[in-house]
Amino acid sequence: MDKDKLRRAKQTGFLDRQIGDEDAIREERKKNGVVPTYKMVDTCAGEFDAATPYYYSTYEQEDESNVSDKKKVIILGSGPIRIGQGIEFDCCTVHAVFALKEIGIETIVVNSNPETVSTDFDISDKLYFEPITLEDVLNIVDKEKNNLLGVMVQFGGQTSINLCIPLHEHGVHILGTSPFDIDKAEDRDLFGKILDKLKIPSAKWGTGYSYEDVRDVAKKIGYPVLVRPSYVLGGRAMQIVQEESELEEYIKEAASVSPNHPILVDKFLEDAIEVDVDLVCDGEQVLIGAIMEHIEEAGIHSGDSACVLPPQTLSKKVMDKIRDHSERLALELNVKGLLNIQYAIKDEVVYILEANPRASRTVPFVSKATGVALAKIAAKVMVGHKLKDLVTDFYPMDRIKHVAVKEVVFPFAKMPQVDPVPSPEMKSTGEVMGIDKDFAMAFYKAELAAGNELPLQGKIFISVKKKDKPKIVNIAKTFLENGFEIISTSGTSDYLTEHGIENRKILKISEGFPNILNLMKDNAIDLIINTPGMGKVPKKDGYRIRVSAVELDIPYITTISGAHAAVTAIRDVKKRELEVKSLNEYFR
C-alpha cells in the first residue's frame, strides 16, 4: 500500500488490524511517516491558555501535544463504562495520579471514558482521550517516549490488564508486577500449578474448547458446575449448570462471547461463603487492606454481592488461613502493586477461586472503610518504593472500630421485565456504602442508600425454594417476634405452619384471585423474600413477583443469607435511632 493510500485509510478511521497484519501495517506507517498527530481540546474556551488540556488523535499535519523532558508514567484507564468495570477503576486511576504527583512524576492518563474525562480531565498532567487498544496506546508511547518510566496497566480493570502481554511484546516497560507474573495469575493452568506448589486448596476445575471437552470435564468434576468463558468482563456468560442437558446450549453462547479462548469449568461449592481480599505487595512484604465477607452465598458475582468488613461470621482459624494464603500467594506471584483474591469458605476449608493481579472494583470501598488509600500506595510501590517506607500497619482492618457494608445498585427499574435475581453474571451498575458501629445499622444504612429501604413493621411475603425451607423458619420466627405479619403461598405456608410459625396463606398468581400480585398492587406488602431455584429458566410465578416488586418499588430479597442479614438489621435498628456522622469521625 502506497503512502497516500495508507494515510487516506487512517484518516477514514480504519484500524491497522482492519487494513492488514497489525504489526506489519504499523511498521509500514512509521516508515512512511503516517503517524497520528494530537489535537488539543481547549478546556478554557479560548479565553486563556489551558493549563490542563487533553488531546485526541487524528491524521493531520500539525501536532499540538508538547512533550516534556520530565520523568513520566502512562496510566491506562478502563475505557467506556460498562457492567463489570468503570467508575471504581477510574477512581483508582485518579488516586494513582495523586500519588505519582506527590513524588514529582509527570502523569499521563489514557482513557476514553467520557464520565471520567469530563470530571477529572484536569487531575493528570496530560490526558489522551483515546481507546484502550494496542494501536492507540503504542502511538502514545511513541509520542511520549522521552524519559518515559513505563506504563501502568493495573488500574484500568480487565481492559487494560489484557494489554499487558501485547505491550510487553512490543518493547513497552510494564511498571509493577511483571507481564510474566501477571500471566501466571491469569492463565488457569499456570495458576493451578502455583496453588499445588503452595498447597492452597482450590475447587476441582478443568478447561475445554468444545461441548465434548466441557461435558467430559463436568462429568469428571461432578455437577453442579460453574462454567464461564475466559478473558471476559463482569462474569459475562457465567452460569451455574445443574446437569448435562443444560450444557450444550450454554457452550454455544460462551464460544460466541470469547472465541479462541478456553471455557473454564469449576466445581460449584454450594452453601459456601465467598470472601474477597484486596492487598498491596512490593515483592517482599504484603499489606492486606481488607478481608471482605460476602453477605450473599457463593454463586453470585462478587460485583453483585453485598459485602462487609470486618467479616462477621468467620472464625479466627479461617481468618488466619486467609491471611496466610494471601501473603504466600502474593509473594509467590512476585506481585508489585495490587492483587485481588477471591475465596470460598466451606466447612472451615478455605478454597481459592481466583486471583486478579490488578485493582478490583472494591478498592475504593476498602480505602474509604479503612482510611488507607490502597491505589496510592500501590502506585508508589510500582515505581520502586517499599511498603516499609510507606506504611507502619500491614493489617489496617484490625484497628477500625466500625463496620462497613458495601451494597450494590441495580438498573432493573429502567429495564422492564428483566428478572432482578443476582447470578454469576454481573448486572449491577453502581454501589453504596453503609457505615456504623455495628453490622445491623451499617447494613440498614446500605440498603437505605441503595433504594431498598427495609421496613420496620408491616406485612412480609415469603416464598422460598424447597432447599431453603428449613433455613427460613428461624428468620420467619424473628420477623413474627418483631411484630410483622407473614404471608406465604401454599408450599412455604404449609412448611411454616408445620413448624409453628403463624402465617396467612395466599394464592399463587397462577391459582386465581385474589393472589399475591393483587396484594402487591394494593400496597399491602412491605417486603418480599423470594429465593428462586438455580438454572437459567425462572419459574413463572417467582419471575412475575420479582419483576413486579421492582415496578412497584417494594423492597425485595432473593437469598437466605440476605434475608438473615435483613431481619437482624431490622430487629436491632428498631431499638435505636439512626445516627449520621461524617466519614472522618470514624477515624478519630
Side-chain angles (χ1 to χ4, degrees), residues 526-544:
D526 299 288
L527 176 66
I528 292 170
I529 298 173
N530 174 244
T531 64
M534 288 183 182
K536 200 163 185 179
V537 181
K539 288 189 176 181
K540 191 173 180 181
D541 271 27
Y543 164 75
R544 291 183 65 187

Side-chain angles (χ1 to χ4, degrees), residues 43-309:
T43 56
C44 297
E47 294 185 19
F48 47 86
D49 289 341
T52 52
Y54 60 98
Y55 302 91
Y56 64 94
S57 65
T58 183
Y59 280 82
E60 295 183 9
Q61 298 301 318
E62 185 182 356
D63 196 312
E64 298 176 355
S65 176
N66 296 317
V67 178
S68 77
D69 292 326
K70 298 178 182 177
K71 288 182 179 180
K72 67 194 70 164
V73 166
I74 292 175
I75 306 172
L76 302 188
S78 64
I81 292 179
R82 63 189 86 184
I83 291 178
Q85 70 173 32
I87 224 66
E88 304 97 333
F89 295 105
D90 292 335
C91 172
C92 295
T93 300
V94 168
H95 276 226
V97 169
F98 289 151
L100 295 177
K101 281 190 169 186
E102 287 175 5
I103 55 177
I105 295 176
E106 181 179 323
T107 55
I108 300 167
V109 170
V110 182
N111 205 6
S112 59
N113 177 341
E115 179 74 15
T116 300
V117 170
S118 64
T119 56
D120 293 335
F121 68 88
D122 57 347
I123 298 296
S124 59
D125 294 294
K126 292 176 79 172
L127 186 147
Y128 285 93
F129 188 46
E130 295 291 285
I132 311 298
T133 67
L134 179 63
E135 176 180 337
D136 292 286
V137 174
L138 286 176
N139 288 338
I140 295 167
V141 169
D142 285 344
K143 175 70 179 175
E144 297 285 350
K145 61 186 176 184
N146 186 24
N147 258 339
L148 178 65
L149 299 179
V151 176
M152 291 183 174
V153 299
Q154 291 188 24
F155 299 110
Q158 197 65 37
T159 296
S160 59
I161 208 79
N162 283 349
L163 286 181
C164 175
I165 297 297
L167 287 172
H168 173 70
E169 290 173 346
H170 283 79
V172 177
H173 179 54
I174 303 299
L175 292 168
T177 310
S178 74
F180 173 73
D181 290 315
I182 287 175
D183 193 48
K184 284 196 294 187
E186 293 276 308
D187 184 283
R188 195 56 185 267
D189 289 321
L190 294 175
F191 187 60
K193 290 175 183 176
I194 287 174
L195 296 183
D196 291 341
K197 177 183 175 181
L198 297 176
K199 294 182 170 53
I200 297 177
S202 64
K204 293 179 181 178
W205 63 275
T207 62
Y209 284 86
S210 66
Y211 166 66
E212 290 75 17
D213 290 345
V214 175
R215 180 194 61 197
D216 292 344
V217 170
K219 277 184 180 178
K220 183 178 178 181
I221 290 173
Y223 291 94
V225 292
L226 185 67
V227 284
R228 51 185 166 147
S230 47
Y231 298 96
V232 295
L233 293 170
R236 175 76 178 90
M238 190 185 294
Q239 187 178 320
I240 298 168
V241 175
Q242 297 288 333
E243 55 190 34
E244 189 175 310
S245 60
E246 298 176 24
L247 253 185
E248 191 165 7
E249 181 185 351
Y250 169 80
I251 298 303
K252 293 176 184 176
E253 181 181 1
S256 66
V257 168
S258 185
N260 305 318
H261 290 296
I263 294 164
L264 309 179
V265 187
D266 293 271
K267 175 66 179 177
F268 177 62
L269 299 170
E270 295 184 88
D271 299 320
I273 298 171
E274 276 203 46
V275 170
D276 260 77
V277 174
D278 279 326
L279 62 82
V280 180
C281 179
D282 62 5
E284 298 174 3
Q285 292 180 292
V286 180
L287 162 65
I288 295 182
I291 298 171
M292 294 158 277
E293 179 182 1
H294 290 209
I295 291 171
E296 287 82 10
E297 59 266 21
I300 294 172
H301 191 279
S302 60
D304 280 358
S305 180
C307 67
V308 56
L309 69 84

